[in-house]
Amino acid sequence: MSETETYYEFGTAADRWDRARMFFEAKEYLTAARILGGLVGEAPEQVAPRLLLARSYYHSARLGKAEEELRRVLELDPVETYAHLMLGRTLERQGRDADAAPHLRMAAALTGDFTPGTERS
């Protein structure tokens, strides 16, 4: 194990996915992102790890990285409702309301909720 590697970056993909979710739920977003970054690198076509990585970045205020991952999620799955919502919220946090609006509208349309500003849980 090198100086930059830690125990939680080892094991099967399923083990690391479970560990990343555990760290995310414990609000250890940077650690979750570190684990998820490896998983995304191994399976870049998978939406779930990339979406959780984006959420980890969002909650740790790494908004540029969150935006990048959310845009990749939407390339893979253009109707991923939560990705549209998260991208809208991420852009809003960056003061980019005009860029956020289409994503928030798309999330609302996909959920059937046409009331702007309503967040999905």
Side-chain angles (χ1 to χ4, degrees):
M1 187 178 338
S2 78
E3 291 176 24
T4 60
E5 295 175 313
T6 58
Y7 76 92
Y8 47 77
E9 294 173 288
F10 292 93
T12 67
D15 291 340
R16 288 177 287 138
W17 170 247
D18 289 341
R19 205 170 298 128
R21 288 180 29 220
M22 178 193 70
F23 278 108
F24 183 86
E25 290 168 11
K27 299 183 180 180
E28 294 288 337
Y29 303 118
L30 294 176
T31 303
R34 186 171 180 169
I35 298 166
L36 291 161
L39 288 171
V40 165
E42 291 171 25
E45 73 288 350
Q46 298 230 344
V47 170
R50 197 175 284 279
L51 188 55
L52 191 58
L53 176 58
R55 291 177 66 200
S56 297
Y57 286 148
Y58 177 86
H59 288 296
S60 60
R62 298 168 75 187
L63 302 178
K65 288 184 170 286
E67 178 183 351
E68 183 179 314
E69 291 303 327
L70 290 163
R71 290 191 186 279
R72 288 188 184 148
V73 166
L74 290 171
E75 286 173 12
L76 295 168
D77 186 356
V79 294
E80 169 46 64
T81 306
Y82 196 67
H84 279 288
L85 177 64
M86 284 290 303
L87 182 53
R89 297 285 184 242
T90 299
L91 294 168
E92 282 182 332
R93 275 183 76 182
Q94 295 177 68
R96 296 167 54 195
D97 292 351
D99 293 334
H103 294 286
L104 296 174
R105 281 194 303 273
M106 179 64 79
L110 290 169
T111 60
D113 177 10
F114 297 102
T115 306
T118 302
E119 195 166 347
R120 182 178 125 183
S121 48

